[in-house]
């Protein structure tokens, strides 16, 4: 229903006149795709601030999705809580993400999007690295609640900052570039941490995910509009 409503209410962004004429000369949809992809990459190369925020966004989402590969082994091998424990850590994450919506606007207004993203990424990095160190389910649920809240705050602050900065006619191609980076990170990190957790150490796998969040923190802290 939401997708249906979005499609009905869609607004086509008008390109600037010079860009409109350039795109009109392209013969097929594939040529336009390549052209717009190239434009998106060129825009990011010329805008370090957006590039760093986009890299933080890709790291946040890629690491979050890759972490699903090691959450189940955490519950099985460290917490010994089975499917019920897996459900509880997901409850913690979901509740944290939900309550973050209550205070993220105030944080962004008070500290600005860049500082909000940086602190949130630092918190989720620390919480992720600490997760395999505790064997009590209640502690893990609290840590996942903190991670969920930090992910919600960072996600909203990143998206709002990018949308405020990127011109409307570049938004689609820039977001597509970030989406490709996110999926690439998800696949590479997911396979890496799964292999490390199975063959070597579950704690090391969580450290890798936490390190990815920490790189996102460095990117956000370094971004200067």
């Amino acid at each position: 229903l939401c997708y249906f409503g979005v499609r009905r209410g869609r607004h086509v962004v008008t390109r600037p006149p010079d860009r409109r004429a350039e795109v009109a000369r392209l013969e097929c949809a594939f040529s336009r795709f390549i052209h717009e992809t190239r434009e998106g990459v060129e825009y990011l190369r010329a805008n370090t601030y957006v590039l760093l925020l986009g890299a933080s966004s890709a790291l946040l989402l890629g690491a979050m999705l890759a972490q699903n590969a090691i959450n189940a082994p955490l519950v099985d091998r460290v917490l010994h809580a089975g499917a019920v424990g897996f459900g509880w850590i997901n409850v913690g994450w979901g509740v944290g993400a939900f309550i973050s919506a209550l205070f993220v606007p105030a944080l962004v207004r008070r500290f600005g999007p860049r500082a909000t993203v940086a602190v949130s990424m630092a918190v989720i990095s620390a919480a992720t690295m600490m997760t395999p160190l505790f064997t009590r389910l209640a502690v893990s649920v609290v840590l996942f609640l903190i991670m969920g809240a930090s992910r919600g705050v960072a996600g909203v602050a990143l998206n709002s900052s990018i949308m405020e900065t990127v011109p409307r006619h570049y938004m689609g191609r820039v977001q597509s570039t970030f989406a490709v980076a996110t999926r690439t990170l998800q696949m590479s990190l997911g396979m890496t941490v799964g292999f490390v957790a199975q063959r070597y150490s579950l704690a090391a796998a969580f450290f890798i995910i936490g390190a990815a969040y920490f790189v996102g923190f460095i990117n956000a802290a370094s971004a200067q509009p």
Side-chain angles (χ1 to χ4, degrees):
L1 288 174
C2 288
Y3 275 119
F4 177 72
V6 169
R7 294 298 299 171
R8 288 193 62 187
R10 72 189 181 96
H11 296 275
V12 178
V13 177
T14 304
R15 294 182 175 88
D18 57 330
R19 297 290 182 181
R20 218 177 307 161
E22 187 178 353
V23 172
R25 289 195 296 269
L26 300 174
E27 295 181 357
C28 64
F30 182 74
S31 299
R32 293 182 182 181
F33 170 76
I34 296 298
H35 175 77
E36 292 186 354
T37 301
R38 188 184 301 115
E39 278 191 332
V41 173
E42 289 174 355
Y43 174 83
L44 290 174
R45 289 176 61 185
N47 292 269
T48 306
Y49 176 68
V50 178
L51 178 61
L52 289 172
L53 289 182
S56 293
S57 178
L59 285 162
L60 175 67
L61 293 174
M64 180 190 73
L65 294 169
Q67 187 177 333
N68 290 327
I70 53 177
N71 283 343
L74 170 76
V75 175
D76 182 48
R77 289 155 53 181
V78 177
L79 302 177
H80 305 291
V84 174
F86 189 75
W88 272 111
I89 65 171
N90 278 280
V91 167
W93 181 282
V95 170
F98 177 78
I99 63 175
S100 69
L102 304 177
F103 54 80
V104 60
L107 290 176
V108 173
R109 283 195 300 267
R110 176 69 177 83
F111 301 105
R114 186 174 65 88
T116 302
V117 170
V119 173
S120 299
M121 294 292 280
V123 171
I124 194 172
S125 174
T128 302
M129 293 181 183
M130 291 169 58
T131 297
L133 304 180
F134 297 95
T135 58
R136 296 182 63 86
L137 178 60
V139 177
S140 294
V141 172
V142 172
L143 286 172
F144 272 83
L145 187 147
I146 293 171
M147 284 189 275
S150 300
R151 180 263 178 271
V153 171
V156 171
L158 279 166
N159 286 331
S160 62
S161 183
I162 290 171
M163 292 178 68
E164 289 174 356
T165 307
V166 178
R168 292 178 65 189
H169 61 280
Y170 275 118
M171 182 59 68
R173 62 205 70 181
V174 168
Q175 291 283 32
S176 296
T177 304
F178 295 157
V180 170
T182 297
R183 295 307 173 188
T184 302
L185 281 167
Q186 176 192 355
M187 291 185 291
S188 58
L189 277 175
M191 290 186 290
T192 299
V193 298
F195 177 80
V196 170
Q198 181 70 19
R199 293 292 185 89
Y200 300 102
S201 166
L202 182 62
F206 272 92
F207 182 86
I208 292 171
I209 296 294
Y213 290 131
F214 188 76
V215 174
F217 154 73
I218 294 175
N219 286 340
S222 303
Q224 294 294 336

